[in-house]
Amino acid sequence: MNTRGPAIPGLRLVPFRGLRYVPDRVGSLSAVTSPPYDVVVRPDGLHHLESADPHNIVRLILPQGESATARHEQAAATLRRWRAEGVLAPDPEPVLYVYEQRGDGILQRGVIGALELSEPGNGIVLPHEDVMDHVVEDRADLMRTTRAHLEPLLLTYPGDGGATGTHAVIGRTVELPPLLDTTTEDGFHHRLWAVTDPGDRAEIERDLAGHQALIADGHHRWATYLRLRREHSAPGPWDFGLVLLVDTAHYPLRVRSIHRLLHGLPVADALAALTGLFRVRTVEGPLPRALDALAGAAAEGNAFLLAGDGAFHLVDRPDEALLARTVPADRPAAYRSLDATVLHATLLGGVWRVPDDDPSRIAYIHDTAAAVEQAERHGSTAVLMHPVREGLVRDLARQGVTMPRKSTSFGPKPATGLVLRGLDLG
Protein backbone atom coordinates (compact mmCIF):
# COMPACT_ATOMS: atom_id res chain seq x y z
CA MET A 1 0.00 0.00 0.00
CA ASN A 2 1.26 3.48 -0.84
CA THR A 3 1.10 5.66 2.30
CA ARG A 4 2.82 8.69 0.90
CA GLY A 5 -0.18 11.05 0.93
CA PRO A 6 -1.61 13.44 -1.68
CA ALA A 7 0.24 14.50 -4.80
CA ILE A 8 2.26 17.68 -4.47
CA PRO A 9 1.07 20.68 -6.52
CA GLY A 10 4.53 21.90 -7.53
CA LEU A 11 8.17 21.81 -6.53
CA ARG A 12 8.77 21.02 -2.86
CA LEU A 13 12.36 21.55 -1.77
CA VAL A 14 13.16 20.66 1.84
CA PRO A 15 16.23 21.23 4.03
CA PHE A 16 18.67 18.43 4.77
CA ARG A 17 21.85 17.92 6.77
CA GLY A 18 24.52 18.28 4.14
CA LEU A 19 27.55 16.02 4.31
CA ARG A 20 30.62 18.15 3.53
CA TYR A 21 34.39 17.90 3.49
CA VAL A 22 36.15 19.19 6.60
CA PRO A 23 38.73 21.66 5.21
CA ASP A 24 41.39 20.80 7.80
CA ARG A 25 41.31 17.12 6.79
CA VAL A 26 41.96 17.56 3.04
CA GLY A 27 44.63 19.27 0.98
CA SER A 28 42.14 21.79 -0.42
CA LEU A 29 38.48 21.86 -1.33
CA SER A 30 39.33 22.30 -5.00
CA ALA A 31 41.51 19.17 -4.94
CA VAL A 32 38.65 16.95 -3.69
CA THR A 33 35.98 18.10 -6.15
CA SER A 34 35.16 16.64 -9.54
CA PRO A 35 32.89 17.23 -12.51
CA PRO A 36 29.74 15.05 -12.54
CA TYR A 37 30.45 11.35 -13.03
CA ASP A 38 29.40 11.32 -16.69
CA VAL A 39 31.58 14.31 -17.61
CA VAL A 40 34.84 12.82 -16.36
CA VAL A 41 36.83 11.71 -19.40
CA ARG A 42 38.11 8.23 -18.64
CA PRO A 43 40.74 7.01 -18.12
CA ASP A 44 42.88 10.16 -18.24
CA GLY A 45 40.56 12.44 -16.31
CA LEU A 46 39.80 9.76 -13.76
CA HIS A 47 43.48 9.13 -13.04
CA HIS A 48 44.15 12.86 -12.83
CA LEU A 49 41.41 13.35 -10.22
CA GLU A 50 42.45 10.29 -8.20
CA SER A 51 45.98 11.66 -7.96
CA ALA A 52 44.87 15.20 -7.10
CA ASP A 53 44.02 14.20 -3.51
CA PRO A 54 43.54 10.80 -1.81
CA HIS A 55 40.08 11.98 -0.76
CA ASN A 56 38.86 13.19 -4.15
CA ILE A 57 35.13 12.58 -4.56
CA VAL A 58 35.76 10.64 -7.77
CA ARG A 59 36.63 7.65 -5.55
CA LEU A 60 32.95 7.63 -4.57
CA ILE A 61 31.20 8.53 -7.83
CA LEU A 62 33.48 6.42 -10.08
CA PRO A 63 34.90 3.71 -7.82
CA GLN A 64 37.27 1.16 -9.31
CA GLY A 65 36.95 -2.61 -9.04
CA GLU A 66 36.69 -5.86 -10.98
CA SER A 67 32.89 -5.91 -10.95
CA ALA A 68 30.02 -3.50 -10.39
CA THR A 69 29.34 -5.04 -6.98
CA ALA A 70 32.98 -4.70 -5.96
CA ARG A 71 33.11 -1.09 -7.16
CA HIS A 72 30.00 -0.06 -5.27
CA GLU A 73 31.01 -1.86 -2.08
CA GLN A 74 34.38 -0.12 -2.34
CA ALA A 75 32.63 3.27 -2.59
CA ALA A 76 30.44 2.48 0.43
CA ALA A 77 33.45 1.38 2.49
CA THR A 78 35.36 4.53 1.49
CA LEU A 79 32.43 6.75 2.43
CA ARG A 80 32.10 5.04 5.84
CA ARG A 81 35.83 5.41 6.47
CA TRP A 82 35.92 9.08 5.51
CA ARG A 83 33.00 9.81 7.82
CA ALA A 84 34.57 7.85 10.66
CA GLU A 85 37.88 9.67 10.17
CA GLY A 86 36.20 13.08 10.07
CA VAL A 87 37.12 13.76 6.43
CA LEU A 88 33.40 14.22 5.74
CA ALA A 89 31.05 15.49 8.42
CA PRO A 90 27.34 16.38 8.48
CA ASP A 91 26.20 19.91 9.11
CA PRO A 92 24.59 20.32 12.55
CA GLU A 93 21.04 21.03 11.34
CA PRO A 94 18.96 20.63 8.19
CA VAL A 95 19.29 23.63 5.86
CA LEU A 96 18.88 24.68 2.27
CA TYR A 97 22.04 25.84 0.53
CA VAL A 98 22.59 28.76 -1.81
CA TYR A 99 25.25 27.86 -4.36
CA GLU A 100 27.12 30.26 -6.62
CA GLN A 101 29.39 29.56 -9.59
CA ARG A 102 31.31 32.30 -11.33
CA GLY A 103 33.69 32.01 -14.30
CA ASP A 104 34.11 32.21 -18.06
CA GLY A 105 31.78 35.21 -18.15
CA ILE A 106 29.01 33.33 -16.32
CA LEU A 107 27.36 33.98 -12.96
CA GLN A 108 25.02 31.21 -11.82
CA ARG A 109 23.19 31.00 -8.50
CA GLY A 110 20.66 28.50 -7.25
CA VAL A 111 19.38 26.58 -4.26
CA ILE A 112 20.46 23.07 -3.27
CA GLY A 113 18.01 20.97 -1.29
CA ALA A 114 16.18 17.65 -1.15
CA LEU A 115 13.38 17.73 -3.73
CA GLU A 116 10.26 15.65 -3.24
CA LEU A 117 10.13 13.18 -6.12
CA SER A 118 7.24 13.04 -8.57
CA GLU A 119 6.41 10.83 -11.52
CA PRO A 120 6.73 12.30 -15.05
CA GLY A 121 2.97 12.18 -15.52
CA ASN A 122 2.52 14.74 -12.75
CA GLY A 123 4.19 17.40 -14.89
CA ILE A 124 6.24 18.79 -12.00
CA VAL A 125 9.73 17.72 -13.10
CA LEU A 126 10.09 17.48 -16.87
CA PRO A 127 12.68 15.15 -18.43
CA HIS A 128 13.73 15.92 -21.98
CA GLU A 129 16.04 13.00 -22.82
CA ASP A 130 15.79 9.24 -22.91
CA VAL A 131 18.00 7.22 -20.57
CA MET A 132 19.98 3.99 -20.83
CA ASP A 133 18.80 1.21 -18.53
CA HIS A 134 22.28 -0.11 -17.76
CA VAL A 135 23.41 3.34 -16.56
CA VAL A 136 20.33 3.73 -14.35
CA GLU A 137 20.93 0.30 -12.84
CA ASP A 138 24.58 1.13 -12.16
CA ARG A 139 23.70 4.41 -10.44
CA ALA A 140 20.87 2.72 -8.52
CA ASP A 141 23.19 0.03 -7.16
CA LEU A 142 25.73 2.69 -6.18
CA MET A 143 23.08 4.68 -4.30
CA ARG A 144 21.65 1.57 -2.64
CA THR A 145 25.07 0.47 -1.48
CA THR A 146 26.36 3.84 -0.28
CA ARG A 147 22.93 5.01 0.93
CA ALA A 148 23.89 8.46 -0.27
CA HIS A 149 23.24 11.01 -2.98
CA LEU A 150 26.77 11.93 -3.99
CA GLU A 151 26.10 14.77 -6.45
CA PRO A 152 23.15 17.09 -7.12
CA LEU A 153 21.13 17.09 -10.32
CA LEU A 154 20.82 20.40 -12.17
CA LEU A 155 17.19 21.50 -12.60
CA THR A 156 15.95 24.78 -14.04
CA TYR A 157 12.75 26.79 -13.82
CA PRO A 158 11.76 30.21 -15.20
CA GLY A 159 11.12 32.54 -12.28
CA ASP A 160 8.55 35.34 -12.43
CA GLY A 161 10.98 38.14 -11.54
CA GLY A 162 9.09 39.23 -8.44
CA ALA A 163 10.56 41.16 -5.52
CA THR A 164 10.01 38.21 -3.19
CA GLY A 165 10.59 34.49 -3.42
CA THR A 166 13.66 32.38 -4.09
CA HIS A 167 15.55 35.03 -6.06
CA ALA A 168 15.12 37.55 -3.25
CA VAL A 169 16.32 35.06 -0.63
CA ILE A 170 19.38 34.27 -2.75
CA GLY A 171 20.14 37.98 -3.08
CA ARG A 172 20.06 38.47 0.69
CA THR A 173 22.01 35.30 1.42
CA VAL A 174 24.99 36.05 -0.83
CA GLU A 175 25.67 39.20 1.21
CA LEU A 176 26.60 36.97 4.16
CA PRO A 177 29.90 35.12 4.75
CA PRO A 178 29.86 31.77 2.88
CA LEU A 179 30.36 28.31 4.33
CA LEU A 180 32.98 27.61 1.70
CA ASP A 181 34.82 29.51 -1.00
CA THR A 182 37.06 27.76 -3.51
CA THR A 183 38.25 27.92 -7.10
CA THR A 184 38.49 24.69 -9.11
CA GLU A 185 41.14 24.01 -11.72
CA ASP A 186 38.77 24.96 -14.55
CA GLY A 187 38.87 28.51 -13.23
CA PHE A 188 35.34 28.53 -11.80
CA HIS A 189 34.84 30.16 -8.40
CA HIS A 190 32.41 28.35 -6.08
CA ARG A 191 30.69 29.62 -2.94
CA LEU A 192 28.13 27.94 -0.68
CA TRP A 193 25.88 29.40 2.03
CA ALA A 194 23.39 27.85 4.47
CA VAL A 195 19.83 29.24 4.53
CA THR A 196 18.96 28.87 8.19
CA ASP A 197 16.21 31.46 8.70
CA PRO A 198 12.76 29.75 8.84
CA GLY A 199 11.18 32.77 7.15
CA ASP A 200 13.58 32.54 4.21
CA ARG A 201 12.96 28.82 3.85
CA ALA A 202 9.20 29.38 3.92
CA GLU A 203 9.55 32.07 1.25
CA ILE A 204 11.44 29.64 -0.99
CA GLU A 205 8.85 26.92 -0.36
CA ARG A 206 5.93 29.18 -1.29
CA ASP A 207 7.69 30.39 -4.43
CA LEU A 208 8.73 26.98 -5.75
CA ALA A 209 5.29 25.45 -5.13
CA GLY A 210 4.06 27.35 -8.18
CA HIS A 211 6.73 26.13 -10.58
CA GLN A 212 7.68 23.10 -12.63
CA ALA A 213 11.30 22.28 -13.40
CA LEU A 214 13.21 21.00 -16.41
CA ILE A 215 15.96 18.45 -15.88
CA ALA A 216 18.98 20.24 -17.33
CA ASP A 217 21.57 17.67 -16.24
CA GLY A 218 21.09 14.35 -14.49
CA HIS A 219 18.40 12.37 -16.33
CA HIS A 220 19.93 9.04 -15.33
CA ARG A 221 20.19 10.07 -11.70
CA TRP A 222 16.58 11.32 -11.70
CA ALA A 223 15.44 8.00 -13.19
CA THR A 224 17.52 6.33 -10.48
CA TYR A 225 15.81 8.37 -7.74
CA LEU A 226 12.41 7.26 -9.06
CA ARG A 227 13.45 3.62 -9.30
CA LEU A 228 14.71 3.58 -5.71
CA ARG A 229 11.62 5.40 -4.47
CA ARG A 230 9.43 2.67 -5.96
CA GLU A 231 11.55 0.05 -4.18
CA HIS A 232 10.82 1.64 -0.77
CA SER A 233 7.08 1.58 -0.16
CA ALA A 234 7.11 3.37 3.20
CA PRO A 235 7.66 7.15 3.36
CA GLY A 236 11.24 8.13 4.08
CA PRO A 237 14.43 9.66 2.72
CA TRP A 238 14.10 7.81 -0.62
CA ASP A 239 11.12 10.07 -1.39
CA PHE A 240 13.52 12.97 -1.97
CA GLY A 241 16.50 13.57 -4.25
CA LEU A 242 19.47 15.93 -4.06
CA VAL A 243 19.12 18.75 -6.61
CA LEU A 244 20.32 22.23 -7.52
CA LEU A 245 17.47 24.46 -8.73
CA VAL A 246 18.42 27.44 -10.92
CA ASP A 247 16.07 30.22 -12.01
CA THR A 248 17.00 30.71 -15.66
CA ALA A 249 15.05 33.97 -15.90
CA HIS A 250 17.82 35.47 -13.77
CA TYR A 251 20.69 33.07 -14.45
CA PRO A 252 20.41 31.61 -17.95
CA LEU A 253 22.38 28.44 -18.52
CA ARG A 254 24.76 27.77 -21.36
CA VAL A 255 23.69 24.93 -23.65
CA ARG A 256 26.40 22.84 -25.27
CA SER A 257 26.51 19.61 -27.20
CA ILE A 258 27.49 16.12 -26.14
CA HIS A 259 29.59 14.45 -28.81
CA ARG A 260 29.75 10.79 -29.85
CA LEU A 261 32.82 8.59 -30.10
CA LEU A 262 32.16 5.54 -32.28
CA HIS A 263 34.49 2.72 -31.27
CA GLY A 264 35.76 0.48 -34.06
CA LEU A 265 34.44 2.67 -36.87
CA PRO A 266 37.29 4.39 -38.76
CA VAL A 267 36.47 7.73 -40.34
CA ALA A 268 37.09 6.36 -43.84
CA ASP A 269 34.46 3.66 -43.33
CA ALA A 270 31.99 6.14 -41.80
CA LEU A 271 32.36 8.48 -44.77
CA ALA A 272 32.15 5.71 -47.36
CA ALA A 273 28.78 4.64 -45.97
CA LEU A 274 27.42 8.17 -46.47
CA THR A 275 28.03 8.26 -50.23
CA GLY A 276 24.89 9.47 -51.97
CA LEU A 277 23.06 9.92 -48.66
CA PHE A 278 24.63 13.11 -47.26
CA ARG A 279 26.78 15.89 -48.66
CA VAL A 280 30.33 15.42 -47.34
CA ARG A 281 33.02 18.11 -47.48
CA THR A 282 36.45 18.39 -45.87
CA VAL A 283 36.76 21.70 -44.02
CA GLU A 284 39.85 23.45 -42.75
CA GLY A 285 41.06 23.31 -39.16
CA PRO A 286 42.04 23.95 -36.50
CA LEU A 287 39.11 22.71 -34.40
CA PRO A 288 37.56 26.14 -33.62
CA ARG A 289 37.51 27.00 -37.33
CA ALA A 290 35.94 23.66 -38.20
CA LEU A 291 33.29 24.20 -35.52
CA ASP A 292 32.47 27.57 -37.08
CA ALA A 293 31.84 25.75 -40.36
CA LEU A 294 29.57 23.33 -38.50
CA ALA A 295 27.61 26.22 -36.96
CA GLY A 296 27.10 27.78 -40.37
CA ALA A 297 25.81 24.56 -41.87
CA ALA A 298 23.61 23.82 -38.84
CA ALA A 299 21.83 27.16 -39.35
CA GLU A 300 20.48 25.75 -42.62
CA GLY A 301 19.62 22.19 -41.56
CA ASN A 302 21.02 19.00 -40.07
CA ALA A 303 24.82 19.02 -39.93
CA PHE A 304 27.58 17.06 -38.22
CA LEU A 305 31.37 17.23 -38.07
CA LEU A 306 33.33 13.97 -38.28
CA ALA A 307 36.90 13.75 -36.98
CA GLY A 308 39.48 11.13 -36.09
CA ASP A 309 41.74 10.86 -39.13
CA GLY A 310 43.55 14.17 -38.67
CA ALA A 311 41.02 16.12 -40.76
CA PHE A 312 37.50 17.51 -40.31
CA HIS A 313 34.62 16.38 -42.50
CA LEU A 314 31.36 18.36 -42.62
CA VAL A 315 28.32 16.15 -43.18
CA ASP A 316 25.03 17.87 -44.07
CA ARG A 317 22.06 17.93 -46.47
CA PRO A 318 20.68 14.45 -45.76
CA ASP A 319 18.69 12.70 -48.47
CA GLU A 320 14.97 13.35 -47.89
CA ALA A 321 13.98 9.81 -48.79
CA LEU A 322 16.49 8.49 -46.25
CA LEU A 323 15.00 10.71 -43.55
CA ALA A 324 11.50 9.56 -44.44
CA ARG A 325 12.56 5.93 -44.00
CA THR A 326 14.43 6.34 -40.73
CA VAL A 327 12.99 9.23 -38.68
CA PRO A 328 9.82 8.42 -36.67
CA ALA A 329 6.80 10.01 -38.34
CA ASP A 330 4.66 10.05 -35.19
CA ARG A 331 6.62 12.80 -33.44
CA PRO A 332 6.32 16.61 -33.68
CA ALA A 333 8.13 18.30 -36.54
CA ALA A 334 10.53 19.99 -34.08
CA TYR A 335 11.60 16.55 -32.84
CA ARG A 336 11.99 15.06 -36.32
CA SER A 337 14.28 17.91 -37.39
CA LEU A 338 16.63 17.70 -34.41
CA ASP A 339 20.26 16.90 -35.20
CA ALA A 340 20.18 14.36 -32.36
CA THR A 341 17.15 12.65 -33.91
CA VAL A 342 18.78 12.42 -37.33
CA LEU A 343 22.03 11.22 -35.75
CA HIS A 344 20.42 8.43 -33.74
CA ALA A 345 17.63 7.37 -36.10
CA THR A 346 19.35 7.90 -39.44
CA LEU A 347 23.12 7.78 -39.03
CA LEU A 348 23.57 5.42 -36.09
CA GLY A 349 20.52 3.27 -36.69
CA GLY A 350 19.99 3.43 -40.44
CA VAL A 351 23.48 3.84 -41.92
CA TRP A 352 26.26 2.87 -39.53
CA ARG A 353 24.32 0.27 -37.52
CA VAL A 354 25.82 1.39 -34.20
CA PRO A 355 23.62 0.67 -31.13
CA ASP A 356 23.37 3.89 -29.15
CA ASP A 357 23.21 2.09 -25.80
CA ASP A 358 26.20 -0.24 -26.21
CA PRO A 359 29.23 1.21 -24.37
CA SER A 360 31.54 -1.07 -26.34
CA ARG A 361 30.42 0.67 -29.55
CA ILE A 362 29.71 4.26 -28.50
CA ALA A 363 30.82 6.77 -25.87
CA TYR A 364 29.33 10.16 -25.03
CA ILE A 365 31.92 12.89 -24.47
CA HIS A 366 31.21 16.48 -23.39
CA ASP A 367 34.59 17.98 -24.22
CA THR A 368 35.06 18.62 -27.95
CA ALA A 369 38.85 18.46 -28.02
CA ALA A 370 38.83 15.27 -25.93
CA ALA A 371 36.43 13.62 -28.38
CA VAL A 372 38.71 14.42 -31.31
CA GLU A 373 41.86 13.36 -29.44
CA GLN A 374 40.39 10.00 -28.41
CA ALA A 375 39.11 9.32 -31.93
CA GLU A 376 42.55 9.99 -33.40
CA ARG A 377 44.27 7.90 -30.73
CA HIS A 378 42.07 4.85 -31.24
CA GLY A 379 41.31 5.06 -34.96
CA SER A 380 37.64 5.74 -34.26
CA THR A 381 35.14 8.34 -35.43
CA ALA A 382 34.15 11.39 -33.40
CA VAL A 383 30.78 12.88 -34.35
CA LEU A 384 30.71 16.50 -33.23
CA MET A 385 27.32 18.14 -32.66
CA HIS A 386 25.99 21.69 -32.72
CA PRO A 387 23.99 22.66 -29.59
CA VAL A 388 20.21 22.94 -29.54
CA ARG A 389 18.32 25.95 -28.13
CA GLU A 390 17.08 25.73 -24.51
CA GLY A 391 13.65 27.04 -25.52
CA LEU A 392 13.16 24.16 -27.94
CA VAL A 393 14.19 21.67 -25.27
CA ARG A 394 11.65 23.08 -22.81
CA ASP A 395 8.87 23.20 -25.44
CA LEU A 396 9.35 19.53 -26.31
CA ALA A 397 9.51 18.55 -22.64
CA ARG A 398 6.20 20.30 -21.96
CA GLN A 399 4.67 18.24 -24.77
CA GLY A 400 5.93 15.09 -23.09
CA VAL A 401 8.40 14.45 -25.92
CA THR A 402 11.82 13.16 -24.90
CA MET A 403 14.83 13.78 -27.08
CA PRO A 404 17.38 11.08 -27.91
CA ARG A 405 19.70 10.34 -24.99
CA LYS A 406 22.59 12.72 -24.37
CA SER A 407 21.19 15.40 -26.69
CA THR A 408 22.22 18.41 -24.61
CA SER A 409 24.74 19.57 -22.05
CA PHE A 410 23.52 22.41 -19.85
CA GLY A 411 26.00 24.26 -17.72
CA PRO A 412 27.84 25.23 -15.81
CA LYS A 413 27.22 22.03 -13.90
CA PRO A 414 27.53 21.99 -10.12
CA ALA A 415 30.88 20.78 -8.86
CA THR A 416 30.63 17.34 -7.29
CA GLY A 417 31.94 17.11 -3.74
CA LEU A 418 30.83 20.42 -2.25
CA VAL A 419 27.76 18.95 -0.53
CA LEU A 420 26.48 15.35 -0.33
CA ARG A 421 23.29 13.89 1.13
CA GLY A 422 23.55 10.88 3.42
CA LEU A 423 20.28 8.94 3.45
CA ASP A 424 20.85 7.99 7.09
CA LEU A 425 20.77 11.70 7.99
CA GLY A 426 17.11 12.04 6.98
Side-chain angles (χ1 to χ4, degrees), residues 91-375:
D91 283 329
E93 61 177 325
V95 297
L96 297 175
Y97 298 88
V98 168
Y99 175 49
E100 176 188 275
Q101 293 166 277
R102 187 189 298 267
D104 196 22
I106 295 175
L107 172 63
Q108 179 172 289
R109 290 171 176 158
V111 180
I112 294 176
L115 183 70
E116 185 168 8
L117 304 180
S118 60
E119 295 295 333
N122 294 339
I124 297 170
V125 175
L126 304 175
H128 70 268
E129 290 183 355
D130 292 332
V131 297
M132 292 175 274
D133 288 341
H134 74 275
V135 177
V136 174
E137 181 51 46
D138 179 76
R139 292 294 102 181
D141 192 41
L142 178 63
M143 289 185 198
R144 284 191 206 98
T145 308
T146 60
R147 293 189 60 82
H149 294 160
L150 303 173
E151 45 189 338
L153 281 66
L154 175 59
L155 307 185
T156 71
Y157 68 99
D160 55 17
T164 60
T166 306
H167 181 64
V169 173
I170 289 174
R172 294 194 296 269
T173 302
V174 298
E175 297 299 320
L176 303 173
L179 292 174
L180 65 84
D181 187 329
T182 189
T183 300
T184 46
E185 67 176 8
D186 60 4
F188 271 83
H189 188 197
H190 307 262
R191 296 195 293 172
L192 190 75
W193 294 262
V195 180
T196 57
D197 182 83
D200 286 343
R201 295 207 296 256
E203 190 171 341
I204 291 174
E205 182 175 355
R206 287 192 300 271
D207 179 34
L208 294 180
H211 290 286
Q212 61 180 188
L214 176 74
I215 302 175
D217 185 70
H219 282 81
H220 288 90
R221 282 166 284 161
W222 180 259
T224 299
Y225 288 167
L226 294 180
R227 176 179 295 191
L228 294 175
R229 177 182 185 264
R230 296 178 194 122
E231 292 177 4
H232 296 80
S233 58
W238 298 101
D239 290 340
F240 297 83
L242 181 63
V243 305
L244 165 65
L245 274 166
V246 174
D247 174 2
T248 51
H250 292 96
Y251 304 106
L253 271 64
R254 179 178 291 172
V255 187
R256 290 178 169 164
S257 299
I258 303 175
H259 310 294
R260 278 66 172 160
L261 178 65
L262 308 183
H263 302 302
L265 179 64
V267 173
D269 293 351
L271 294 174
L274 301 180
T275 302
L277 301 177
F278 284 77
R279 182 174 70 168
V280 178
R281 293 172 288 160
T282 299
V283 296
E284 294 186 9
L287 179 58
R289 185 172 182 176
L291 291 173
D292 287 342
L294 172 62
E300 300 178 2
N302 300 122
F304 312 91
L305 193 65
L306 272 54
D309 61 350
F312 298 101
H313 309 275
L314 185 61
V315 175
D316 64 355
R317 298 188 184 179
D319 176 71
E320 292 297 332
L322 174 65
L323 295 180
R325 292 196 307 270
T326 55
V327 174
D330 60 347
R331 301 292 183 92
Y335 172 90
R336 297 198 304 272
S337 63
L338 287 170
D339 285 343
T341 299
V342 173
L343 172 62
H344 282 252
T346 304
L347 285 171
L348 296 180
V351 179
W352 293 327
R353 305 294 182 182
V354 175
D356 65 359
D357 60 351
D358 182 351
S360 71
R361 301 289 304 280
I362 187 170
Y364 297 86
I365 300 181
H366 292 71
D367 184 84
T368 310
V372 175
E373 188 274 333
Q374 289 205 29

